[in-house]
Amino acid sequence: MTRRQRTTATGFVHAGSDPTRRHGYVNPPVHRASTVLYEDVAEMDVSQADPLKRAMPVYGRFGTPTTRAFEDALAELEGGYASVTTCSGLAAVTTAVLAYARAGDHILVSDSVYVPTRKFCDSLAGLGVETEYYDPGAGEAIGDLIRPRTRLVYLESPGSTTFDVQDVPAITAVCRPRGIVTLIDNTWATPAFCRPLDLGADVVVHSATKYLTGHADSILGAVVCTEDSFTPVRQAAIRLGQCAGADDVYLGLRGLRTLGVRMREHQRQATELARWAAKQPGVARVLHPALPEHPGHDLWLRDFSGAAGPFGLELEPRFGPEAVDAVLGRLRLFGLGHSYGGYESLVVPTDPVAHRLPGTWAGRGPLLRVHAGFEDLDDLKEDLAAGLAALSPHAGPSR
Ligand SMILES: *Cc1c(COP(=O)(O)O)cnc(C)c1O
C-alpha cells in the first residue's frame, strides 16, 4: 500500500485529457443531449447490449462526452479505475450506499458523518437495512462491531463539523479480508491531499459542489471506484436515474484543472487563520487537523499530504446561542451560509450534540464551522476579531 501517494500538479492539468480527440481544442465542448442517433440497427443493438451503457453514446441520461471527460479525469486523480457522476454530493452518497445495502443487511456508519448522509442512512430502516453508528476513533476496533450481515462501513475523514480524523488503513485492513466494502467521503481533502483508494477503501464519494468545482456555482457529485466496485456503483446509478446537467459537469472538469493550486492556497489561508483563531479571547479550541494539538494530528500527518479550508471553532462553554448570534451578526466579510470550497469565506453554526451518539463528541461549547477563502488574511482576521468582540456582553459568569 502506498500511503500519501500524491496527485501531482501535472496530473491536475492533464488528467484524462486528450485534445487530439477533439480537433486540438484544449477543453471538451458542453454536450447538451438526450437522444443519440445511431448509424443503423446493428449499432443500436450493440449499444443496447452494453449493461453499463458506457462503451458508446446511448442516451443523455447515461452521460455525454463531457461527463466522460470529467469522470476520466477524476478517476485518474484519485488513482481509481473509473468514476460515476451524480446530480449532487448527497446523490453520490445515496447511490454508493444503495449499490451495496440490501434488506437484512447491517451497515456501520461513522458517527461524525455529514448530517444529510446520516438522515439517509436512518431512512434505510424502511428498506430493512439496519444502520449502526460507530465512534470515528474506532480504528481496528471496528472489528468488534462487525456482524454476519454487515455489508459495508461508511467513513468520512475528517468528519463534518468536528473534524475527527479516522484510522482509515486500520479500518480497511479489518474489512477487506472479510468482504466488507468500505466507502469514504473525501470531499474535505480532495485528491489534492488524500487518495483513500491508496489507503484501502473500495469507493470514494465526493460532493464536487465544494472544492472540485470550487466557485459556488454548481451542484455536482461523483463516486470514484476500483475495478471491483465500478460495476455495482455504475449499475446503481443507472437504476436510480442519476445524471448531472451539461454545464455542471463542465464546471466540475474545469474546476479540477486548478484544484491543485487552489488547495495549496486554501491550506495556507486556513492553517494560518486557525492558528490565529485558537489564541483569540472567547475561543475554547480550534478543530483543525493540521494543528499539533488536534487529536487526529498524527493520523493526518501519516495519511494526508495537506489540509483543506474548513475547520471548527469552539467557543467557551459559558457562551450560549445569543452569543453565537451576536458573533454571526457582526461578521461582514465571512458569509453566513452552507457549503464550502468556493473562493469566498463562510461561517455556519453547527450542533453535533443534536445528532451524535452520547460520548463520541467531547466538545462543550458552541461550535462554528469556518471556511477560509481567498480574501486577504488580514481582512479575515480583522472580521473574525470584530465578530468575537461581540461575545463580551454575553460572557456571563466565568467557569
Ligand atoms: C456538502 C457535502 C455533501 C453533500 O453534497 P451536495 O453536493 O451539497 O449534495 C456530502 N458530504 C460532505 C462531506 C459535504 O460537505
Side-chain angles (χ1 to χ4, degrees):
M1 198 183 317
T2 28
R3 300 238 169 107
R4 291 187 51 159
Q5 190 171 337
R6 274 164 192 273
T7 296
T8 65
T10 307
F12 288 110
V13 177
H14 294 294
S17 180
D18 182 4
T20 61
R21 281 193 317 210
R22 40 179 189 260
H23 316 288
Y25 291 105
V26 170
N27 293 297
V30 178
H31 285 272
R32 301 184 188 284
S34 55
T35 302
V36 177
L37 298 176
Y38 303 107
E39 285 286 331
D40 50 30
V41 176
E43 195 181 87
M44 190 175 201
D45 289 346
V46 171
S47 89
Q48 290 302 322
D50 171 14
L52 298 183
K53 308 291 180 211
R54 200 162 176 270
M56 58 187 288
V58 182
Y59 179 55
R61 197 175 61 228
F62 304 126
T64 67
T66 321
T67 322
R68 186 63 185 268
F70 170 66
E71 291 174 347
D72 288 351
L74 183 61
E76 191 175 323
L77 295 174
E78 284 279 6
Y81 169 75
S83 58
V84 174
T85 306
T86 58
C87 67
S88 69
L90 185 57
V93 173
T94 60
T95 300
V97 172
L98 289 174
Y100 291 100
R102 296 288 176 269
D105 285 349
H106 165 249
I107 68 173
L108 287 164
V109 178
S110 167
D111 196 36
S112 62
V113 284
Y114 178 66
V115 170
T117 296
R118 187 179 193 111
K119 289 184 177 163
F120 168 72
C121 291
D122 288 343
S123 78
L124 288 173
L127 300 178
V129 176
E130 183 186 346
T131 301
E132 182 181 351
Y133 294 97
Y134 69 88
D135 185 331
E140 65 182 9
I142 196 82
D144 301 340
L145 302 175
I146 288 172
R147 304 184 195 165
R149 287 300 303 265
T150 304
R151 187 79 187 95
L152 64 90
V153 176
Y154 186 98
L155 308 87
E156 185 181 315
S157 180
S160 282
T161 78
T162 52
F163 301 92
D164 329 57
V165 182
Q166 297 193 40
D167 193 338
V168 177
I171 292 175
T172 59
V174 169
C175 293
R176 182 149 287 189
R178 303 191 198 196
I180 296 166
V181 182
T182 48
L183 283 55
I184 182 164
D185 188 323
N186 196 31
T187 300
W188 184 87
T190 82
F193 294 149
C194 187
R195 302 210 323 177
L197 298 177
D198 295 340
L199 304 176
D202 297 298
V203 176
V204 176
V205 302
H206 274 287
S207 169
T209 307
K210 313 289 165 57
Y211 286 118
L212 305 192
T213 55
H215 292 70
D217 53 5
S218 145
I219 295 279
L220 185 68
V223 189
V224 188
C225 304
T226 61
E227 193 167 354
D228 285 345
S229 61
F230 179 64
T231 298
V233 171
R234 174 74 179 169
Q235 263 164 357
I238 290 172
R239 303 277 176 269
L240 293 166
Q242 277 302 338
C243 68
D247 288 313
D248 297 303
V249 284
Y250 181 83
L251 291 171
L253 177 65
R254 190 172 72 165
L256 290 181
R257 300 302 175 206
T258 57
L259 183 65
V261 179
R262 288 186 287 109
M263 294 308 286
R264 278 206 298 277
E265 184 63 8
H266 279 299
Q267 160 160 262
R268 207 180 58 76
Q269 295 275 92
T271 311
E272 173 60 29
L273 188 67
R275 275 203 194 98
W276 172 86
K279 289 185 272 189
Q280 300 312 302
V283 173
R285 52 180 186 150
V286 161
L287 309 170
H288 188 299
L291 300 196
E293 62 269 29
H294 188 274
H297 181 67
D298 290 342
L299 287 176
W300 172 78
L301 273 180
R302 189 191 67 186
D303 295 339
F304 292 71
S305 58
F311 61 88
L313 192 70
E314 187 184 346
L315 301 176
E316 288 172 4
R318 61 202 165 106
F319 296 115
E322 324 76 50
V324 174
D325 290 352
V327 173
L328 298 177
R330 187 72 66 83
L331 297 172
R332 293 291 168 267
L333 208 47
F334 281 90
L336 176 59
H338 291 287
S339 195
Y340 63 80
Y343 51 82
E344 82 295 9
S345 293
L346 294 171
V347 63
V348 71
T350 63
D351 183 12
V353 181
H355 304 286
R356 294 186 56 155
L357 302 173
T360 74
W361 160 239
R364 292 189 302 136
L367 193 61
L368 302 173
R369 186 181 68 194
V370 177
H371 167 62
F374 297 148
E375 298 90 341
D376 194 288
L377 202 48
D378 289 332
D379 293 343
L380 291 178
K381 287 178 185 171
E382 193 180 308
D383 198 43
L384 203 50
L388 292 170
L391 285 172
S392 29
H394 301 274
S398 204
R399 272 185 270 162

